């Protein structure tokens, strides 16, 4: 199978030599005009730290939330409009839910950002997936914040 | 010389009778991932059944195949004694050096699979394009940077200062760690464990003065923050370097530098 292949390159029209150099294969990491510039910021550092710190806080917030909502005092059957209205009358629970909303959304969004960076192969796919992610995150965070602060228990 | 006087486990010498040396040979199946771009664009598995001493290494099996069965089999090896780092390959699904892996240690009863390391372009059979790997290595400035006058004799360092980065001086640049890293597999832009290990070697060297620059390079998008701490690199390292620990130490240096 290999016998009919010209290996020496000394004969034939396609032979590589000083006048007909072999094509140059560029190293994937080589600096080109399209290579993104070094950012020189600490964004990735802060992102990494945020994941660890928010994770620790979220363990308390989310497990506490689940315990109160689903286990204690009658469990899930007690949850209704009145229950939510009662809780959000207190600034403590407003703050708890607000912090949980922000941390969980940003924690999840940053996690998904790294997954998209890892697994989206084409630049365009990566861009659009991240745009979608950021839009959804901003929308959810703003809507949730709005609801927590403008909640009206007398609505009908 | 009689073979009976040889110490236990010694290789049969040339004076060994044929029956004597054949008695401890076993039949092993070596299943090799073959790829030849001049023949086919697809890689495929090929089985070789060979008679081999189980105390031989996988590299010896590859030699036997190349020299006696199929001369087109292509792989890299230079020193063949675990120092040059040429023959890292994926043996039975794990990155190892073929010259440091004994046949008897990887269950020769089943076919032994030998593949090129992952995450780098395969050129032929077990040979991959190492350029991206070495480019990442060059990017972290793996050389001593100092200022001022050169000392007349040597650059002195205390034993404790030397100990600080001793582990990462052992790297032989075989790429077993980097090509076992799932983050590197994804897009090949992550610097990879080997480059970070070699940056670590100079960042924590008391004689070097460019630690800040190297930390700055590794602080970027494709630097240490992409590490997911999966420990694949530590498992893969044929030199036993605690690679993940070295990466974590670079992360800690970045954080303590900032706060």
């Amino acid at each position: 199978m290999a016998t009919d292949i010209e290996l020496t390159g000394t004969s034939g029209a396609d032979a590589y030599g000083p006048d007909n150099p072999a094509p140059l294969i560029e190293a994937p990491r080589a600096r080109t005009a399209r290579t993104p510039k070094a950012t020189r910021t600490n964004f990735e550092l802060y992102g990494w730290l945020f994941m660890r710190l928010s994770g620790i806080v979220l363990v308390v917030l989310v497990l506490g939330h689940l315990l109160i909502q689903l286990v204690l005092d009658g469990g899930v059957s007690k949850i209704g409009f009145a229950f939510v209205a009662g809780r959000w009358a207190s600034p403590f629970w407003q703050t708890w839910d607000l912090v949980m909303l922000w941390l969980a959304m940003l924690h999840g969004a940053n996690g998904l950002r790294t997954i998209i960076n890892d697994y989206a192969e084409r630049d365009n796919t990566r861009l659009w997936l991240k745009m979608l992610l950021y839009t959804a995150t901003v929308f959810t965070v703003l809507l949730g914040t709005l609801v927590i602060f403008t909640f009206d228990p007398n609505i009908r | 010389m009689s073979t009976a006087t040889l110490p236990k486990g010694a290789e049969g010498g040339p004076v060994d009778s044929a029956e004597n040396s054949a008695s401890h040979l076993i039949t092993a199946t070596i299943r090799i991932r073959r790829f030849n771009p001049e023949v086919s664009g697809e890689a495929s598995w090929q089985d070789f059944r060979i008679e081999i001493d189980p105390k031989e290494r996988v590299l010896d099996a590859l030699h036997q195949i190349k020299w006696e069965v199929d001369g087109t089999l292509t792989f890299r090896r230079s020193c063949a004694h675990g120092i040059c780092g040429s023959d890292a390959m994926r043996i039975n699904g794990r990155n190892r050096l073929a010259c440091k892996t004994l046949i008897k240690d990887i269950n020769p009863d089943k076919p032994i699979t030998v593949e090129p390391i992952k995450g780098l372009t395969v050129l032929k059979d077990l040979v991959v394009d190492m350029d991206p790997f070495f480019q990442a290595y060059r990017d972290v400035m793996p050389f001593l940077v100092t200022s001022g006058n050169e000392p007349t004799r040597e650059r002195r360092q205390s034993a404790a200062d030397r100990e600080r980065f001793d582990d990462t001086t052992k790297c032989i640049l075989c790429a077993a760690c980097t090509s076992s890293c799932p983050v590197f597999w994804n897009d090949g832009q992550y610097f990879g464990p080997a480059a970070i290990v070699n940056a670590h070697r100079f960042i924590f060297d008391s004689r070097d003065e460019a630690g800040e620059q190297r930390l700055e390079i590794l602080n970027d998008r494709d630097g240490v923050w992409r590490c997911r701490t999966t420990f694949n690199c530590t498992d893969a390292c044929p030199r036993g370097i605690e690679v993940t620990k070295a990466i974590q130490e670079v992360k800690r240096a970045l954080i303590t530098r900032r706060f």
Side-chain angles (χ1 to χ4, degrees):
Chain A
M1 58 186 181
T3 48
D4 53 346
I5 292 163
E6 185 61 64
L7 293 174
T8 56
T10 49
S11 61
D14 299 331
Y16 297 129
D19 302 324
N20 182 24
L24 188 72
I25 301 171
E26 257 186 58
R29 285 191 66 90
R31 301 273 175 272
T32 64
R34 292 183 57 218
T35 308
K37 293 252 175 347
T39 52
R40 291 250 158 202
T41 64
N42 288 308
F43 180 76
E44 295 293 337
L45 183 153
Y46 291 133
W48 188 89
L49 262 185
F50 172 77
M51 291 305 268
R52 270 80 200 156
L53 299 178
S54 63
I56 295 168
V57 179
L58 278 171
V59 166
V60 178
L61 291 179
V62 171
L63 288 184
H65 177 83
L66 290 177
L67 191 72
I68 293 161
Q69 304 279 315
L70 307 179
V71 181
L72 298 182
D73 199 19
V76 70
S77 58
K78 68 172 183 286
I79 296 179
F81 186 83
F83 178 77
V84 175
R87 268 164 61 89
W88 276 353
S90 146
F92 175 78
W93 292 115
Q94 273 190 331
T95 316
W96 179 302
D97 282 358
L98 186 74
V99 172
M100 190 166 67
L101 169 77
W102 276 73
L103 288 185
M105 280 310 292
L106 294 182
H107 186 95
N110 192 32
L112 270 175
R113 181 184 71 90
T114 57
I115 291 172
I116 292 170
N117 278 342
D118 274 359
Y119 289 101
E121 287 186 4
R122 280 176 300 170
D123 287 348
N124 259 334
T125 320
R126 192 178 298 126
L127 176 78
W128 285 110
L129 282 176
K130 283 206 265 192
M131 284 298 136
L132 187 69
L133 172 70
Y134 296 155
T135 313
T137 306
V138 169
F139 176 76
T140 314
V141 164
L142 290 185
L143 183 68
T145 309
L146 186 76
V147 169
I148 289 175
F149 280 122
T150 61
F151 178 73
D152 177 10
N154 302 317
I155 197 168
R156 49 184 68 254
Chain B
M1 190 198 290
S2 148
T3 49
T5 60
L6 282 171
K8 198 167 185 251
E11 309 276 323
V15 288
D16 253 357
S17 65
E19 309 94 287
N20 224 345
S21 59
S23 62
H24 50 77
L25 295 188
I26 57 159
T27 306
T29 305
I30 315 288
R31 181 168 290 169
I32 301 177
R33 191 78 174 154
R34 302 294 305 267
F35 172 67
N36 184 350
E38 291 170 339
V39 172
S40 164
E42 298 288 316
S44 61
W45 294 99
Q46 188 177 358
D47 282 10
F48 294 93
R49 285 181 71 77
I50 54 168
E51 298 277 311
I52 192 162
D53 186 330
K55 293 192 291 295
E56 296 275 33
R57 306 158 302 171
V58 172
L59 181 65
D60 297 307
L62 294 177
H63 276 154
Q64 195 176 325
I65 294 166
K66 183 171 178 67
W67 293 339
E68 297 169 17
V69 185
D70 184 352
T72 65
L73 179 65
T74 309
F75 55 91
R76 282 197 186 102
R77 73 103 174 80
S78 299
C79 78
H81 292 84
I83 293 299
C84 70
S86 299
D87 64 347
M89 42 191 83
R90 205 169 153 85
I91 299 165
N92 276 1
R94 270 190 56 189
N95 282 2
R96 317 170 205 237
L97 296 182
C99 59
K100 283 184 84 174
T101 309
L102 299 187
I103 301 280
K104 71 180 174 65
D105 292 341
I106 48 171
N107 188 14
D109 300 336
K110 284 194 236 163
I112 296 166
T113 61
V114 181
E115 302 162 72
I117 47 178
K118 288 176 71 167
L120 295 162
T121 311
V122 180
L123 299 180
K124 187 179 178 187
D125 291 347
L126 304 173
V127 173
V128 297
D129 179 8
M130 298 281 278
D131 273 2
F133 173 78
F134 285 118
Q135 186 60 51
Y137 172 62
R138 280 192 288 271
D139 285 349
V140 299
M141 308 196 299
F143 40 80
L144 187 75
V145 179
T146 59
S147 60
N149 294 331
E150 258 182 56
T152 42
R153 310 269 319 251
E154 62 192 291
R155 297 181 193 276
R156 304 290 298 248
Q157 185 173 44
S158 72
D161 279 348
R162 177 62 178 73
E163 183 61 30
R164 181 69 193 83
F165 61 91
D166 184 66
D167 200 34
T168 44
T169 60
K170 299 178 197 159
C171 178
I172 55 174
L173 292 170
C174 66
C177 58
T178 294
S179 62
S180 75
C181 175
V183 181
F184 183 78
W185 293 339
N186 286 325
D187 62 1
Q189 294 300 303
Y190 174 46
F191 275 94
I196 298 171
V197 157
N198 285 282
H200 177 284
R201 183 249 171 276
F202 286 98
I203 289 169
F204 293 96
D205 187 337
S206 60
R207 300 164 294 187
D208 187 84
E209 289 168 21
E212 277 292 311
Q213 286 179 56
R214 296 194 187 90
L215 286 175
E216 201 59 55
I217 292 165
L218 292 178
N219 194 25
D220 220 322
R221 201 183 310 104
D222 296 315
V224 288
W225 306 116
R226 286 193 79 177
C227 169
R228 305 278 186 280
T229 338
T230 59
F231 282 89
N232 279 18
C233 46
T234 305
D235 287 343
C237 181
R239 306 281 293 172
I241 301 172
E242 293 176 282
V243 184
T244 314
K245 186 181 170 199
I247 300 174
Q248 295 299 90
E249 285 176 354
V250 174
K251 284 183 193 168
R252 187 182 304 156
L254 277 165
I255 289 174
T256 50
R257 182 184 74 138
R258 192 76 193 83
F259 298 101

